Amino acid sequence: MHRDSATPPPAATVGPAPGPPPPGGELWEIVGDFRTLLTLPAALALQVAHPAVGAGVADHSVFRTDPWGRAERSLTSLLLWVYGGDRAREEGRRLRARHAHIRGTDTHGNPYRALDPETYAWVHATGFPVMRHGQRYLGRPLTSAREHRLYAEWLQVGRVLGIRDADMPRSVDAFRPYYRRMLAERVEPTPVLRELLSVTAPVPPPEAGPRVVRTLLRALWPVLRPPFLRLRRFVTLGLMPPEARDALALPWSPRQERRLRRFGLLVRGVAAVLPERLRYFPAARRARAEHRAGTYAA
């Protein structure tokens, strides 16, 4: 499963670099919407449940010291994969270069590399079940046709990231047994996962925005941090697919499920009345406007 560390993993394709998913597709509707912010913690939690990913994040990430900056950079990267046109390819190459030297030993004493095909593919793969599950609460549950379109577009994102077709299930039907096997054989409640679910973690206050806002947040953070961490845990667990929660033995009660459904109803109601300029992130909004005007360059 682990290649010799001296041998770099092959890129996804030979020839012209793959392009981003199609304008106007399922990902264009979902990813740029503000509701994506609510699903990112669940995706990250499922990613770091893989021992190699969890160890890589623990050893090389700034998620403890700069969680807000890391989240912003992750969102910016995700938006580029979907809406960035030529910049999507550049971002895919940048990420592979950034991860090329990330390696170490996990908590079981096994060597890991960020670009090991299984590891890198798992980080990408987790996005699909989390998006699919999140739509049940925050958007519109996927029909079979939409689910297949979404997965095909997510495969295209994988190619942008430099993942070979051979390392990704080629269809929804092929994804299901792969996903079940990974949940049964690979994921576990890693130390990083437990940190991300902790309601006592020493998360620093946000440092973005005007100085007066930053000063106010720093002053109020001792009061704001506990409810924020409880909300983060609730959203992370709730928007993690139930089969993943079961595989990781993470608790989820009928009462929490009812609260999540009410929360989703509120979020959908807010989204329904917001105009596009408020519902979509600026990068997505610009790309969507360019697509409508016929000036978007993929």
Side-chain angles (χ1 to χ4, degrees):
M1 179 168 56
H2 292 277
R3 297 175 183 269
D4 187 312
S5 60
T7 305
T13 58
V14 175
E26 297 293 338
L27 286 174
W28 271 53
E29 289 298 315
I30 294 172
V31 169
D33 189 294
F34 79 92
R35 288 170 282 188
T36 290
L37 285 177
L38 296 171
T39 64
L40 289 180
L44 176 59
L46 191 50
Q47 290 166 13
V48 301
H50 189 296
V53 181
V57 169
D59 295 344
H60 300 277
S61 174
V62 296
F63 83 100
R64 295 185 183 97
T65 57
D66 185 25
W68 304 98
R70 186 187 188 281
E72 182 181 4
R73 291 187 292 274
S74 295
L75 177 62
T76 298
S77 189
L78 173 61
L79 292 172
L80 279 173
W81 305 345
V82 175
Y83 303 98
D86 287 338
R87 291 176 298 157
R89 302 173 180 90
E90 296 170 7
E91 179 66 2
R93 290 191 290 267
R94 186 192 72 82
L95 286 173
R96 287 189 70 85
R98 168 69 180 80
H99 288 82
H101 303 294
I102 293 179
R103 62 189 67 199
T105 304
D106 67 20
T107 56
H108 300 289
N110 298 317
Y112 72 81
R113 289 186 307 109
L115 292 186
D116 179 272
E118 180 198 287
T119 305
Y120 207 54
W122 174 249
V123 171
H124 164 261
T126 55
F128 174 68
V130 170
M131 280 190 287
R132 178 178 58 189
H133 183 61
Q135 285 296 296
R136 292 180 54 199
Y137 298 90
L138 306 177
R140 293 182 296 129
L142 298 178
T143 63
S144 177
R146 288 186 64 212
E147 181 181 30
H148 281 77
R149 285 196 301 271
L150 179 64
Y151 187 75
E153 293 175 17
W154 196 238
L155 282 180
Q156 192 61 20
V157 168
R159 297 179 185 114
V160 167
L161 295 176
I163 304 172
R164 300 176 306 172
D165 281 1
D167 294 321
M168 298 184 289
R170 298 301 301 274
S171 66
V172 171
D173 291 338
F175 181 84
R176 293 189 183 106
Y178 157 81
Y179 181 51
R180 287 194 298 266
R181 177 179 63 80
M182 293 296 289
L183 293 181
E185 301 177 5
R186 298 297 287 143
V187 304
E188 60 185 52
T190 61
V192 174
L193 174 61
R194 291 194 292 270
E195 284 188 58
L196 293 178
L197 294 174
S198 171
V199 295
T200 60
V203 175
E207 289 295 336
R211 178 180 297 180
V212 64
V213 173
R214 298 197 306 269
T215 301
L216 186 62
L217 281 172
R218 282 196 294 269
L220 295 177
W221 195 239
V223 176
L224 296 176
R225 184 173 64 90
F228 165 75
L229 291 177
R230 289 194 295 270
L231 176 63
R232 183 179 73 169
R233 178 183 171 88
F234 172 71
V235 171
T236 301
L237 287 175
L239 297 180
M240 181 181 290
E243 63 276 6
R245 285 198 305 260
D246 292 344
L248 294 165
L250 297 173
W252 186 251
S253 68
R255 182 171 179 268
Q256 288 173 305
E257 179 67 21
R258 291 191 295 271
R259 287 178 57 203
L260 181 64
R261 292 184 182 279
R262 291 195 296 269
F263 177 74
L265 185 63
L266 173 64
V267 171
R268 292 197 306 273
V270 170
V273 299
L274 287 179
E276 182 170 312
R277 63 186 175 82
L278 297 178
R279 188 157 60 91
Y280 281 87
F281 299 113
R285 195 167 62 243
R286 287 193 298 269
R288 289 165 62 87
E290 289 171 2
H291 177 54
R292 288 193 295 267
T295 58
Y296 174 77

